[in-house]
Amino acid sequence: MSQDNVMDAERRFWVGTTCAVGGAAAVGVAVPFVSTFAPSERAKAAGAPVEVDVGDLKPGEMRTVEWRGKPVWIVRRTPEQLASLKATDPLVADPKSERNPAEITPEYARNEYRSIKPEFLVAVGICPHLGCSPSTRFAEGPQPSLPADWHGGFLCPCHGSTFDMAGRVYKNKPSPDNLTIPPYEFLSDSRIIVGVDAKTKA
C-alpha cells in the first residue's frame, strides 16, 4: 500500500472516530436538556384539584392550601363574622360580586356570603392589585393601618387594600376587584375539593 493510501486510511479512521465521539457527547448533552421540557411531578400536581379535610377546622380558624401555585384560604367563619357582612355591605366596592363574575366569582358564590355554605369562605389569597398576599386581620376594632370601625377581614401589606370576611374589597382601595373565589365543591360535610366544580366537569 502506498504512503498516500495509508495516510487516507488513517485520516478516515480519525474522522470517523471524532464523529462517533462527538455524536455520543451530543446525545449525552441533549438527553438532560430535552428532559427539562418534560413537566415535573410537582408541575403536574400544581394544576390538579386539591382535597382538603375541614372537619377539624374550628370557627374563626383558617387553613391554607396550594392550588396552581397559589394560596387558597379556607376560613370557617364564626356567627359574628357572618353577621359583620351586613355592616360592611355599604363599605365595600362590589357588595354583590358583579364585577367580572365569570373570572372572579362562580355562580354558586354570588350571594351575600360568597360561598356554597355560609360558614366556609374559600378564596384565592392573592390581592388582585399587584399580586401580594394579604394577611389576616380577623379581630374587630381599631388597629394599625385599619379604620376604627374595622369589622374583621384581610389587609394587603403592599398597598393597603382591605377586604371584609367575604373577601370583598373596601371602597377607594388600590385593588380593582374582590378576592377570587376558585372553583370548588363539597365532597362531604368535612371535605372540600378545590379546583373542581360542576362547570369545570362539564
Side-chain angles (χ1 to χ4, degrees):
M1 183 181 290
S2 69
Q3 187 174 357
D4 288 342
N5 288 340
V6 170
M7 290 180 65
D8 285 343
E10 288 180 359
R11 187 177 295 117
R12 283 195 297 271
F13 171 78
W14 288 113
V15 168
T17 301
T18 301
C19 289
V21 172
V27 169
V29 170
V31 167
F33 180 72
V34 170
S35 69
T36 61
F37 290 100
S40 66
E41 290 302 313
R42 181 175 174 81
K44 290 177 185 176
V50 179
E51 287 191 31
V52 190
D53 187 347
V54 295
D56 61 345
L57 199 61
K58 295 179 176 61
E61 290 184 343
M62 182 177 83
R63 181 161 295 154
T64 303
V65 298
E66 183 181 348
W67 174 66
R68 292 188 174 179
K70 300 175 182 177
V72 173
W73 298 334
I74 301 171
V75 183
R76 187 167 192 172
R77 294 175 285 203
T78 65
E80 293 76 17
Q81 289 171 334
L82 289 172
S84 75
L85 300 180
K86 293 290 186 185
T88 55
D89 264 351
L91 305 176
V92 295
D94 184 18
K96 295 183 180 178
S97 300
E98 295 174 323
R99 294 181 186 170
N100 304 318
E103 298 174 19
I104 298 172
T105 311
E107 188 173 352
Y108 47 79
R110 293 174 205 162
N111 52 54
E112 60 183 313
Y113 306 110
R114 298 191 78 220
S115 59
I116 296 173
K117 293 185 177 183
E119 65 182 310
F120 286 103
L121 171 68
V122 181
V124 176
I126 294 179
C127 178
H129 180 219
L130 291 176
C132 297
S133 186
S135 54
T136 57
R137 291 290 187 273
F138 291 169
E140 295 186 32
Q143 300 166 56
S145 303
L146 293 170
D149 61 346
W150 179 245
H151 297 280
F154 308 90
L155 168 67
C156 182
C158 294
H159 302 96
S161 291
T162 47
F163 305 85
D164 72 358
M165 289 302 303
R168 301 179 299 180
V169 67
Y170 277 76
K171 294 176 181 178
N172 304 314
K173 296 295 179 179
S175 175
D177 294 302
N178 296 335
L179 296 179
T180 298
I181 305 298
Y184 77 97
E185 62 184 19
F186 280 83
L187 299 176
S188 69
D189 288 341
S190 61
R191 294 194 70 79
I192 294 174
I193 185 166
V194 178
V196 171
D197 60 18
K199 186 175 181 180
T200 59
K201 287 178 182 176

